[in-house]
Amino acid sequence: VGAVAENDLGNSALNELRKYGVNIDNIAKENGRMGLYFLSPGAMHRPSQIIYDRENSVFAKYDFSKINWENVLENCGLLHISGVTVALGIGPYEAALKAMEIAQKKGVKISYDCNYRPKLWENWSNEAPKMILELMKKANIIFASHRDIQLVFGENFEQYGDEKEQKSAQFAFKKLDHLELITSTPRIQISASNNKLGGIAFTKNQNYKTDFYDLDAIIDRIGSGDAFAAGILNGLLNDYEIQDALLMGLASACLKHAQLGDLCLNTLPMLISFMNGEGLDVKR
């Protein structure tokens, strides 16, 4: 759901989504500009850097009151909100909040990926923690690390060392009435092009984790968080046990590191092959 510029760039974006079977019925086209960002890829001990050029884009300025959320969410299994969306301005933020409120009333599950982007928030608001908390309060599934919980509640979880993720999750469950699952991907950064990635998840009464996987000679890590969310949500929507859904999410995130661009091109057979440890032989 959203809006793109009514020009060749906007049409190209829609065609790319359509090519992969994404329903674009609720994406509007209006005069204006597409939001952009520029990536300077890191290597070895030089980190990657992103420069945003997303102010006054068609999406950021779109009148979301045109969207009939009751119709959009009819027969919907889950509403997913990205933290990048809400960081683009008061319009997208309020639209996301309204969508979540209507989803709650209709009994639709809600997932929220914190995706905290300070460079985007600081352009228009100095109340990001307070505003993000309002979104968290409505979510059943939250993609967040201890840093995100720390941000919105002002608590210090670093003091717990290796237990900081578990402690922050326990704290979140006490504060967020609708929360059912909180999950994230711990990352060990050996260099910009050599990481280790794992998956963790928590319910009120259970902890889940995966092994760490080596990501050597990374091609592109941008979008790996969204790939993780896609994998784990696909598992949960298809009635996987949480541990298996977590592994599917991690498989998706790991494989995304081997794909150029921020668009996740994983397929279900690719994920299942990874989860089954089928190795690296050429698929013939």
Side-chain angles (χ1 to χ4, degrees), residues 35-57:
L36 304 171
Y37 74 83
F38 300 89
L39 169 68
S40 173
M44 298 174 64
H45 298 291
R46 178 175 58 82
S48 297
Q49 181 178 358
I50 286 178
I51 299 173
Y52 292 107
D53 180 24
R54 304 187 67 161
E55 282 189 272
N56 299 315
S57 68

Side-chain angles (χ1 to χ4, degrees), residues 79-94:
L79 170 67
H80 181 66
I81 300 289
S82 166
V84 175
T85 297
V86 299
L88 293 176
I90 190 63
Y93 173 83
E94 290 182 343

Side-chain angles (χ1 to χ4, degrees), residues 128-271:
K130 177 181 176 182
M131 298 175 77
I132 293 171
L133 178 57
E134 292 305 307
L135 300 164
M136 283 186 172
K137 287 178 179 177
K138 293 177 169 49
N140 307 109
I141 300 167
I142 293 178
F143 295 88
S145 72
H146 73 281
R147 290 186 295 273
D148 299 298
I149 305 303
Q150 205 162 259
L151 172 74
V152 298
F153 290 108
E155 296 288 326
N156 176 21
F157 297 106
E158 299 289 351
Q159 61 181 311
Y160 295 111
D162 292 342
E163 295 185 346
K164 57 182 177 288
E165 298 297 345
Q166 180 180 350
K167 294 291 186 181
S168 65
Q170 291 171 345
F171 184 90
F173 279 112
K174 292 177 182 177
K175 297 290 185 178
L176 303 171
D177 294 339
H178 299 288
L179 184 59
E180 298 173 7
L181 180 72
I182 183 167
T183 182
S184 63
T185 50
R187 182 186 295 268
I188 300 171
Q189 301 189 79
I190 300 165
S191 72
S193 48
N194 185 1
N195 294 182
K196 296 179 184 290
L197 196 69
I200 55 174
F202 304 92
T203 62
K204 287 183 179 179
N205 302 311
Q206 190 72 37
N207 303 340
Y208 304 86
K209 67 177 181 179
T210 70
D211 293 333
F212 275 83
Y213 287 81
D214 288 327
L215 304 174
D216 197 3
I218 293 169
I219 291 176
D220 193 344
R221 64 172 277 185
I222 303 301
S224 59
D226 292 327
F228 173 71
I232 197 168
L233 291 177
N234 181 73
L236 293 174
L237 288 169
N238 285 285
D239 298 321
Y240 280 51
E241 296 294 332
I242 292 175
Q243 182 65 40
D244 293 331
L246 178 62
L247 185 54
M248 176 168 280
L250 183 62
S252 183
C254 287
L255 291 171
K256 170 62 196 71
H257 285 74
Q259 299 165 2
L260 189 62
D262 64 3
L263 184 62
C264 172
L265 300 177
N266 296 324
T267 63
L268 189 57
M270 289 168 62
L271 300 183

